[in-house]
Amino acid sequence: MTKYFLQRTISENVSFSGTGVHSGKQMHLTIKPAPENHGIKFRRLDLPGTQDIQALFRLVVDTSLATVLGTNGAIVSTIEHLMASFAGLGIDNALVELNEYEIPIMDGSAKIFTQLIKKTGIEKQAAPKQFFIVKKPIKVTDNDKSVIVHPAPCFKITCRIEFAHPLIGEQEITFDRAKNNFEKEISHARTFGFIQDLELLKKFSLGKGGSLDNAIIIDKDRILNEEGLRYPDEFVRHKLLDSLGDFSLLGMPIQGHIVTHKSGHALNHLFIKTFLENKNAWETGPVKI
């Protein structure tokens, strides 16, 4: 009998509370199990009667500071770290209920989401998981930035970054789904920013919840966080984490190898658009174990 990768959901409800990085408001969310073929959906409890917002590329309304989804007047913002946890743990179906428009930033990584979801438990479902199976390369570029996907026997993502800063420079890392190392190698990597950018954001009433508790803050020649870095290359690991969250908005996992170079939310979403338009370069279906 042929065995396929099966869809997965969480075993029971799990809740989180924290600060919204841009709004500075206290946020509360609960993740609930969902049936097969449900996908990931967000429900705004503070806007009763509004339609659930599905975590799909076509509903992305902004990528300037974070990934924002919206439909019929309701939005949900800063979803990328939670979506990265779902993608990294292979969760296909869940309902996320929240009391505000922004996902809490927690410690600036996907660590807390990932640990509590794993502790709560993940359940296999009866239906096979559906994949985008890459048959031909697809590439998008923006000057020296690029995203490309190649055919591969399982999902991998390689992320490369370059910053003209002595503490970052050039970094590269690969996440291999087959090694199942998301929690240990990727989920703990925090978002980062430069002190002058944080000051500018706050000047325009953005980044109100940003602090040394939920971001790596970089000055000209030093990191302001007393505890330092969690990984020597934490910067590129976080960029990979963000990319995992972005690419999960395809709605199904990819069987292929994605390589990003100096990419961000905007180019990642342009890649998704291009990917979906190139229907001759992939097919959909289950994948044998």
Side-chain angles (χ1 to χ4, degrees):
M1 182 179 174
T2 303
K3 288 189 175 181
Y4 295 100
F5 287 100
L6 298 176
Q7 294 181 30
R8 289 149 66 103
T9 188
I10 61 171
S11 301
E12 56 188 78
N13 294 359
V14 58
S15 296
F16 303 87
S17 294
T19 305
V21 69
H22 293 300
S23 66
K25 294 181 178 180
Q26 273 297 113
M27 310 291 174
H28 181 78
L29 67 85
T30 298
I31 306 170
K32 296 184 172 182
E36 297 163 356
N37 304 311
H38 176 276
I40 307 296
K41 294 181 182 178
F42 295 91
R43 179 174 293 168
R44 290 279 303 273
L45 297 180
D46 58 321
L47 299 175
T50 56
Q51 185 178 344
D52 291 346
I53 305 169
Q54 193 143 23
L56 290 175
F57 163 74
R58 61 182 171 82
L59 297 182
V60 173
V61 294
D62 188 23
T63 58
S64 54
L65 294 173
T67 300
V68 183
L69 300 174
T71 183
N72 297 326
I75 66 165
V76 57
S77 176
T78 324
I79 65 167
E80 51 268 28
H81 300 169
L82 179 58
M83 291 302 299
S85 287
F86 289 144
L89 295 172
I91 293 171
D92 308 279
N93 305 304
L95 175 64
V96 183
E97 294 184 341
L98 57 160
N99 71 331
E100 259 287 357
Y101 72 90
E102 194 174 9
I103 301 295
I105 193 64
M106 310 309 285
D107 71 343
S109 75
K111 171 187 171 183
I112 298 167
F113 294 136
T114 303
Q115 288 179 340
L116 281 182
I117 289 169
K118 279 195 75 175
K119 186 178 178 181
T120 299
I122 299 169
E123 281 191 4
K124 288 182 179 177
Q125 298 173 290
K129 192 189 294 267
Q130 299 295 306
F131 290 79
F132 285 106
I133 302 163
V134 178
K135 297 298 183 182
K136 300 175 185 176
I138 301 172
K139 184 177 184 179
V140 296
T141 59
D142 176 15
N143 296 317
D144 62 340
K145 303 172 184 177
S146 64
V147 181
I148 185 169
V149 64
H150 304 276
C154 66
F155 175 69
K156 289 200 296 186
I157 178 169
T158 297
C159 188
R160 301 172 184 146
I161 62 171
E162 286 182 32
F163 282 84
H165 190 285
L167 297 179
I168 306 178
E170 296 183 21
Q171 298 182 2
E172 177 179 320
I173 192 169
T174 296
F175 167 69
D176 187 339
R177 190 82 186 91
K179 293 181 180 176
N180 197 26
N181 61 353
F182 172 76
E183 182 180 12
K184 182 180 177 183
E185 299 295 332
I186 305 299
S187 73
H188 293 221
R190 293 162 293 173
T191 192
F192 62 92
F194 299 94
I195 185 68
Q196 63 270 25
D197 296 335
L198 182 61
E199 290 167 353
L200 187 65
L201 282 173
K202 291 192 174 180
K203 195 173 181 180
F204 289 97
S205 296
L206 297 166
K208 291 178 180 177
S211 72
L212 293 170
D213 293 327
N214 53 42
I216 304 166
I217 305 299
I218 309 162
D219 206 344
K220 290 179 181 177
D221 57 359
R222 66 190 181 104
I223 291 164
L224 300 184
N225 307 65
E226 283 187 18
E227 72 275 21
L229 298 176
R230 293 177 176 175
Y231 312 92
D233 57 353
E234 188 168 359
F235 306 105
V236 73
R237 290 174 194 251
H238 186 79
K239 283 292 186 181
L240 192 148
L241 187 155
D242 273 349
S243 294
L244 271 176
D246 286 342
F247 297 136
S248 71
L249 297 178
L250 278 162
M252 294 190 297
I254 286 178
Q255 186 185 26
H257 183 188
I258 298 174
V259 180
T260 74
H261 180 69
K262 298 175 68 172
S263 187
H265 295 307
L267 191 61
N268 288 346
H269 289 108
L270 177 61
F271 169 80
I272 294 173
K273 180 175 184 291
T274 305
F275 182 93
L276 292 172
E277 289 170 351
N278 281 265
K279 293 181 171 58
N280 64 334
W282 46 263
E283 62 186 25
T284 61
V287 170
K288 295 177 185 177
I289 296 175

